[in-house]
Amino acid sequence: MTETIRIETRGSVGLITLDRPEALNALNDAVMREVVAAAETFEADASVGAIVITGSDKAFAAGADIKAMAALTYTDVSADDPLADWDRLLAIRIPVIAAVSGYALGGGCELAMMCDTVFASETAKFGQPEILLGIIPGIGGTQRLTRAVGKAVAMDLVLTGRTIDADEALRIGLVARVLPADSLLEETIAVAEQIAQRSRLANAAAKRAVNAAFELPLVDGLAAERAEFLDLFATEDRAEGMAAFIEKRPANFRHR
Ligand code: CAA
């Protein structure tokens, strides 16, 4: 039983819906615990091949829970890093897509950026407004945003705290697609389902290789990619994928 999210399976897609409407899905400890646990449970389920994380029409998530944070002392946060469990999302091997409508601010924007890709509705609004609270982003905003959009734009967003709309987010490379609000979720789930039908092993390798571009110098990222590419030749799915192409039939991947 979860208090802050809803969990369901649609075909081969695990759907996590943030559900704290009274706080525009602000991210508190319970949300972090429940989202991470749900993602880990989906990953452990062989019938689930991809995850979609979404919110409501009004808010994907309006940030870390400011009311909960306001009560924390320096001793509290330094004794026990309250954001540490978010890092467990990065260890999820199946692809994770954020479907963002409405506000994705602060930790909400950071949660979207922790996903493998971001699809936004025309109503989505992104920003890192932490500076207005006398703090800075704490779940990767200064790092992932800068890698996603470059230093000048990241500095603009982090230093001004301004909010951008979906078109600007698309233009700067923060999101991959902008979709109509009323079809965002279904279209995102449809893409996730396609991904889930592919080889689980190739999907995991693709994630690791693209993430290596974020984390490693080019020469090391290229070496990581080559190792992943060569390793896939050991898989039955690679043999099936190539045989299916030659035999002009759809591939039936075993590890999916
Ligand atoms: N934390 C806690 N509660 C929040 C919240 C947040 N981040 N964002 C919104 N809420 C609550 C509001 O307090 C309000 O509750 P009450 O009705 O009990 O007062 C309810 O959600 C509805 O919000 P608003 O009345 O403010 O709705 P609005 O439509 O007028 O404004 C908004 C929407 C522009 C998103 C505005 O709510 C807002 O600015 N929210 C805060 C955004 C923010 O600063 N996020 C960064 C948080 S810090 C962070 O995320 C740190 C990090 O990197 C880890």
Side-chain angles (χ1 to χ4, degrees), residues 18 34 82 138 153 192 233 237 248:
L18 306 178
E34 292 183 354
V153 177
F233 278 72
D237 285 341
K248 300 187 188 298

Side-chain angles (χ1 to χ4, degrees), residues 22-24 26 58 62 64-67 69 106-107 110 130 137-139:
E22 71 286 0
L24 300 183
K58 175 147 192 208
D65 190 315
I66 299 167
K67 292 169 187 164
M69 278 193 302
E110 292 170 295
E130 289 89 342
I139 357 177

Side-chain angles (χ1 to χ4, degrees), residues 57-80:
D57 288 348
K58 175 147 192 208
F60 177 72
D65 190 315
I66 299 167
K67 292 169 187 164
M69 278 193 302
L72 296 176
T73 65
Y74 177 68
T75 309
D76 293 332
V77 297
S78 50
D80 178 20

Side-chain angles (χ1 to χ4, degrees), residues 15-26:
L15 176 62
I16 299 172
T17 305
L18 306 178
D19 189 21
R20 287 189 76 206
E22 71 286 0
L24 300 183
N25 294 334

Side-chain angles (χ1 to χ4, degrees), residues 44-65:
D45 181 342
S47 70
V48 173
I51 295 171
V52 172
I53 301 180
T54 196
S56 67
D57 288 348
K58 175 147 192 208
F60 177 72
D65 190 315

